[in-house]
Amino acid sequence: TFRFLDDVFTEYAVLTGSEAAVARAADRAATRRPYRDYVEWLVARDRGESLDFWRRTLAGFDEPTPLPYDRAPERAHRSQSVARIPVELTPRESERVLSFARSHQVTVNAVVQAAWAL
């Protein structure tokens, strides 16, 4: 997930004209191993060893642990958006999003969700 979001952030920087992002994207594409290698590594790992690691790491936790946050929540469980911001892409931008999604083997929705997270 991190790599995917990093790619989305880099692509956004490229779209907004960052020359450093263009160079970084080209360098990363040349050096990154396929995601398939990571999946194969995960599958080959000893499941029992992994379970033992997490049991040791999480020993002593009896209940959910609250995560820190960087600002106080306004109100718990808000169920509606505060504002709507319509965004229309040009045909060229749409094609770039589609091409990005295809090259990373994810859905366009995943790209849009990652962009929304920005």
Side-chain angles (χ1 to χ4, degrees):
T1 302
F2 169 76
R3 283 184 172 181
F4 172 72
L5 286 176
D6 184 52
D7 289 346
V8 170
F9 298 150
T10 299
E11 188 65 17
Y12 176 79
V14 168
L15 288 171
T16 57
S18 169
E19 291 179 24
V22 172
R24 185 172 153 225
D27 182 53
R28 185 179 52 238
T31 59
R32 183 180 295 169
R33 292 174 59 184
Y35 187 70
R36 173 182 300 218
D37 290 356
Y38 173 67
V39 172
E40 288 173 354
W41 174 80
L42 280 177
V43 170
R45 293 193 40 100
D46 182 324
R47 183 171 168 83
E49 185 179 304
S50 295
L51 287 171
D52 288 344
F53 167 81
W54 286 110
R55 283 187 182 111
R56 284 190 312 274
T57 300
L58 299 173
F61 287 92
D62 301 354
E63 56 188 50
T65 302
L67 296 175
Y69 46 84
D70 63 349
R71 63 188 77 94
E74 293 178 31
R75 199 169 74 199
H77 307 293
R78 290 176 63 158
S79 62
Q80 58 186 348
S81 297
V82 175
R84 246 186 172 186
I85 304 172
V87 176
E88 289 188 37
L89 300 179
T90 65
R92 183 173 184 271
E93 291 168 333
S94 294
E95 181 53 43
R96 286 188 72 182
V97 170
L98 182 59
S99 174
F100 181 84
R102 282 184 182 148
S103 70
H104 290 82
Q105 298 180 348
V106 298
T107 65
V108 171
N109 182 55
V111 175
V112 171
Q113 293 291 330
W116 183 49
L118 284 170

